[in-house]
Amino acid sequence: MLYKKEFGDDFDLGFNLNAYPYLKDKSWHNDVSPSFYFNIGPQYYVLWADYADTKKREYPSERYSIQQANNEGNTTSPEIYCDEGDIVFKSESFDNISHYLQTLTSHNTAN
């Protein structure tokens, strides 16, 4: 898994990534935390999963956030960026994020 390569084998996401097969790992070591993208139709999003220990976080924020993103590539070779995207949901608890993801994906199919 890319996030383990970029952030270490012991990084704890706080959730089982296998339970969310539509989340695609886009983690990069220059980012503040692991990230995973998904889309609902043409709209792309990025789920950020920060450190559980607040002292390790680069910015004082919730552990999890979902941000709108753009695909500057195509559906075959996506290039997902979220520099300008709005944060649409954030929470310290993954249970809240999971519920929000279910709400987003229940009316649409995530690809």
Side-chain angles (χ1 to χ4, degrees):
M1 295 187 183
L2 188 56
Y3 81 90
K4 288 186 177 192
K5 178 182 176 222
E6 299 293 338
F7 291 92
D9 286 336
D10 60 342
F11 190 94
D12 177 19
L13 289 178
F15 66 96
N16 179 359
L17 185 57
N18 293 328
Y20 301 87
Y22 56 88
L23 293 177
K24 297 168 183 78
D25 196 343
K26 68 175 257 7
S27 301
W28 189 49
H29 64 275
N30 283 349
D31 286 338
V32 298
S33 64
S35 59
F36 308 87
Y37 77 88
F38 64 100
N39 66 297
I40 306 294
Q43 179 60 61
Y44 282 78
Y45 298 90
V46 173
L47 166 65
W48 297 91
D50 215 333
Y51 292 91
D53 183 349
T54 57
K55 294 174 188 160
K56 291 184 176 183
R57 297 181 195 170
E58 192 168 324
Y59 300 106
S61 185
E62 312 300 318
R63 182 173 184 193
Y64 303 102
S65 60
I66 297 174
Q67 185 175 15
Q68 288 182 332
N70 295 313
N71 180 5
E72 295 183 11
N74 56 47
T75 55
T76 306
S77 299
E79 294 180 34
I80 309 303
Y81 297 95
C82 55
D83 297 336
E84 304 295 321
D86 291 335
I87 301 291
V88 296
F89 194 81
K90 59 186 176 178
S91 178
E92 192 63 30
S93 164
F94 190 78
D95 288 342
N96 293 336
I97 291 291
S98 178
H99 179 72
Y100 186 76
L101 288 171
Q102 289 173 359
T103 300
L104 277 179
T105 59
S106 68
H107 300 291
N108 299 288
T109 303
N111 295 320

